[in-house]
Amino acid sequence: MAARAKAVRPLKISARAGETDRDEIFSKNGAAFSVQARAGVTEITLYDEIGRWGVSAKMFRAALESIETDEIVLNINSPGGDVFDGVAIYNDLLAHKASVVVRVTGLAASAASLIAMAGDEIEIAENAFFMIHNAWSIAVGDAREMTARAKLLKTIDGKLADTYASRTGQEIPTIKQQMDDETWLTAEDAVELGFADRLIDNDTEAEAKASFDLAPFKNVPRALKATRRKTRSPKPDAPLVPAAQTDFSSLVAALNALHGTIAA
């Protein structure tokens, strides 16, 4: 199958001041995030959450700035995370001079599925999955705050749908319905619907898709539920404490730690 043309317009989402500010640089051990150049190709492994609890946009951009090869191969196995970090990574991949081949080796869910859309070519392992859904958030405040946050989420969902539709060739209303439904796609489905260009054989990460806690999602395929291994869940900057030991003020403090985060 011929490679699809890379999207030419960056995805723009406006947030309130401070909501996209991520000053942390995370050092990752093992294979969760690695960059390796050889024979004219740079291979990036992204096997973690997106954002402050995993691979941040700042970390990813720093890696991209060091790449001088003409081709990037991006291996993705991620449950997603912070939508603004995902948008930034997507835009930085689009802007890079190298051609980008995305390989979904386990799971490209939520913000990770958006990042995958930056590929000039998108490949998916036969036992891997895609997932798209609407953005999530937590808001603390009065009715005005809740209304403003709902408006922002709708804006984000619209922009994400535009990007998915542009890359896949599907109609925007169809994509929006898939997002409303929290749609999980097998590799074959992903190719058929345009989220990937071709299937690839891959036995090196046969259980990679099962290494994340997928409990927050409502439509996880039975195949993933059966093999999922319990791992750490993202922790807010201010830890949540057991209900029996908390009062309203401490609960508000914990929610405020998550207040600016919008997940996808």
Side-chain angles (χ1 to χ4, degrees):
M1 182 182 295
R4 297 176 187 267
K6 183 184 288 188
V8 296
R9 291 183 299 171
L11 178 57
K12 296 181 180 179
I13 295 176
S14 297
R16 296 181 313 176
E19 287 191 343
T20 62
D21 187 17
R22 299 287 184 265
D23 292 329
E24 305 90 348
I25 287 291
F26 294 87
S27 60
K28 308 301 292 183
N29 53 27
F33 182 61
S34 63
V35 181
Q36 184 175 10
R38 57 177 180 272
V41 177
T42 298
E43 187 164 346
I44 302 175
T45 296
L46 176 55
Y47 279 15
D48 208 338
E49 297 150 357
I50 307 301
R52 67 175 71 184
W53 297 297
V55 178
S56 68
K58 188 172 184 178
M59 179 194 300
F60 199 93
R61 184 181 180 90
L64 283 179
E65 289 176 345
S66 69
I67 295 175
E68 298 181 353
T69 58
D70 292 329
E71 182 177 345
I72 294 172
V73 174
L74 173 60
N75 300 303
I76 295 179
N77 178 46
S78 171
D82 187 284
V83 69
F84 293 115
D85 278 57
V87 168
I89 292 172
Y90 166 87
N91 286 332
D92 284 344
L93 282 168
L94 285 184
H96 200 278
K97 66 180 182 64
S99 63
V100 178
V101 177
V102 169
R103 290 177 181 160
V104 180
T105 60
L107 175 64
S110 196
S113 66
L114 172 68
I115 292 170
M117 297 297 97
D120 294 293
E121 300 177 57
I122 305 173
E123 302 174 340
I124 184 168
E126 292 178 347
N127 56 354
F129 286 82
F130 254 90
M131 189 275 279
I132 65 172
H133 70 151
N134 292 327
W136 299 347
S137 184
I138 291 176
V140 178
D142 60 17
R144 293 168 298 176
E145 175 63 33
M146 302 301 177
T147 300
R149 183 53 58 99
K151 183 178 179 180
L152 176 59
L153 287 172
K154 287 182 179 180
T155 299
I156 291 171
D157 290 340
K159 294 295 185 180
L160 296 179
D162 288 347
T163 302
Y164 290 129
S166 176
R167 184 59 174 82
T168 66
Q170 296 189 68
E171 297 294 328
I172 289 177
T174 301
I175 292 291
K176 286 185 175 180
Q177 187 62 56
Q178 292 170 355
M179 293 171 64
D180 286 346
D181 295 341
E182 186 192 294
T183 299
W184 292 76
L185 303 172
T186 64
E188 292 82 2
D189 293 337
V191 172
E192 180 179 352
L193 295 178
F195 288 94
D197 299 313
R198 66 183 64 86
L199 298 174
I200 54 173
D201 294 327
N202 184 46
D203 18 69
T204 59
E205 292 293 335
E207 290 189 322
K209 58 186 177 295
S211 62
F212 300 107
D213 183 1
L214 304 179
F217 302 121
K218 62 181 180 180
N219 294 328
V220 180
R222 181 174 299 180
L224 297 186
K225 290 181 179 179
T227 58
R228 188 174 68 236
R229 297 189 301 272
K230 186 176 181 180
T231 59
R232 66 179 178 85
S233 297
K235 301 296 193 301
D237 294 336
L240 293 173
V241 297
Q245 301 178 25
T246 190
D247 55 24
F248 182 76
S249 60
S250 61
L251 177 60
V252 170
L255 289 174
N256 278 328
L258 291 172
H259 175 65
T261 298
I262 297 181

